[in-house]
Amino acid sequence: MRFRLRYLHHDLELTEGQFAVGRNASCQLSLDDPLVSRRHALLTVTLEGVVVEDLQSRNGVLVNGRRIQAKTPLQAGDRILIGAQELTLLLGKDAGAQTSSANMANAKLTLPKMPAAPEATRSQTHLVTTGDMDGEPSMVRRADAFNLLGSVADKALAMGRADEAERILASALADVIEASRAGKTLTPGLVDMAAKFSAKLATATGKGAWADYVIELYSAQLRPCPASVIDELYNAFRKVNAVDLARLRGYLGHLREKLPSYGPAERFLFQRLEGLERLAALR
């Protein structure tokens, strides 16, 4: 039986074999998404069907809203969520039908990117600092660049264009999370901005991986989320398909160790985060 994979506006005809999905350019299906691991998932295609496998990715693979724990056979119509990108498995079209499909063996898809900035301002879009640069003019400019992208994304969200907002923010959010994973120092303001926009994307798209992004970011910072981010996370947790409960509990465990040193305001934030855990456990 022939199958095809729908991603964005592309239908990819699946041929027999194994196909890696991830951010690495060596993957057969390359996704430019900060929530996608370098080698995230593996699709195995045979005459009998298609099986998907999670390659020990950070954010897991969801099939029809449920995170898979082992190799999982797919049926036509199944929705596969990898990072923030949704793929749909469909039956193959007749050989004689005209399609815009590409052979998956040659597929190298990436998310659409924003047009390149003029050379004079391009350095301002790099959002990471490797040291404590609070107050340095260049750091302020970087935060302003993020705010500019955010204002455009906010307009897209207000018009119900969640996919467009994702495309606008993807590179900037990837910059922040990759720096965090590398152990680089990020200013609190930049972290809070990235978290705010990621939480908004979680609410707008219903994709739990964006909420997981927020938790990972503050786990690295070892501090509670600010109230504005927690408010948006409550909105998101009521709409997302799934969240990484183990990641959230790990974050709360780290904060709990520091609880004796917290003041009243931080203790209140911690209590609200515990409420998120209860909300996530009910889903």
Side-chain angles (χ1 to χ4, degrees), residues 25-61:
S26 66
C27 293
Q28 280 75 22
L29 183 56
S30 179
L31 303 176
D32 185 10
D33 181 333
L35 302 178
V36 175
S37 298
R38 295 185 183 279
R39 282 179 58 85
H40 196 114
L42 187 69
L43 292 171
T44 301
V45 183
T46 66
L47 291 176
E48 289 72 33
V50 181
V51 173
V52 64
E53 175 185 359
D54 183 6
L55 298 179
Q56 298 182 333
S57 63
R58 284 180 178 269
N59 293 308
V61 176

Side-chain angles (χ1 to χ4, degrees), residues 41-196:
L42 187 69
L43 292 171
T44 301
V45 183
T46 66
L47 291 176
E48 289 72 33
V50 181
V51 173
V52 64
E53 175 185 359
D54 183 6
L55 298 179
Q56 298 182 333
S57 63
R58 284 180 178 269
N59 293 308
V61 176
L62 278 68
V63 175
N64 298 327
R66 294 180 178 273
R67 185 165 182 166
I68 65 172
Q69 303 298 330
K71 293 182 180 180
T72 301
L74 298 174
Q75 304 293 327
D78 282 349
R79 294 173 292 105
I80 308 105
L81 191 67
I82 297 177
Q85 309 309 310
E86 184 172 277
L87 316 172
T88 304
L89 185 70
L90 303 173
L91 291 177
K93 295 182 179 180
D94 294 336
Q98 292 185 352
T99 72
S100 60
S101 302
N103 187 300
M104 189 168 180
N106 299 317
K108 293 289 183 182
L109 298 183
T110 58
L111 289 176
K113 294 181 179 294
M114 292 289 285
E119 188 66 33
T121 61
R122 193 169 298 161
S123 63
Q124 297 178 16
T125 64
H126 182 68
L127 306 176
V128 175
T129 173
T130 56
D132 184 6
M133 301 177 67
D134 287 332
E136 184 183 337
S138 63
M139 192 62 222
V140 173
R141 288 196 299 270
R142 289 165 186 155
D144 287 343
F146 203 116
N147 265 328
L148 177 61
L149 291 175
S151 66
V152 177
D154 276 336
K155 291 178 181 177
L157 290 172
M159 293 186 289
R161 299 175 181 173
D163 290 346
E164 183 178 337
E166 279 185 311
R167 291 194 292 270
I168 292 169
L169 293 170
S171 294
L173 291 172
D175 195 1
V176 173
I177 201 68
E178 290 295 344
S180 176
R181 290 169 181 170
K184 295 181 180 178
T185 301
L186 304 176
T187 61
L190 184 56
V191 170
D192 292 344
M193 276 193 291
K196 179 186 71 173

Side-chain angles (χ1 to χ4, degrees), residues 179-236:
S180 176
R181 290 169 181 170
K184 295 181 180 178
T185 301
L186 304 176
T187 61
L190 184 56
V191 170
D192 292 344
M193 276 193 291
K196 179 186 71 173
F197 290 126
S198 186
K200 285 184 176 183
L201 288 178
T203 301
T205 65
K207 297 174 182 177
W210 285 118
D212 295 338
Y213 176 107
V214 178
I215 300 305
E216 179 181 344
L217 198 55
Y218 284 105
S219 292
Q221 301 298 309
L222 290 177
R223 65 181 174 95
C225 308
S228 60
V229 174
I230 295 176
D231 288 342
E232 192 61 53
L233 284 177
Y234 268 93
N235 293 331

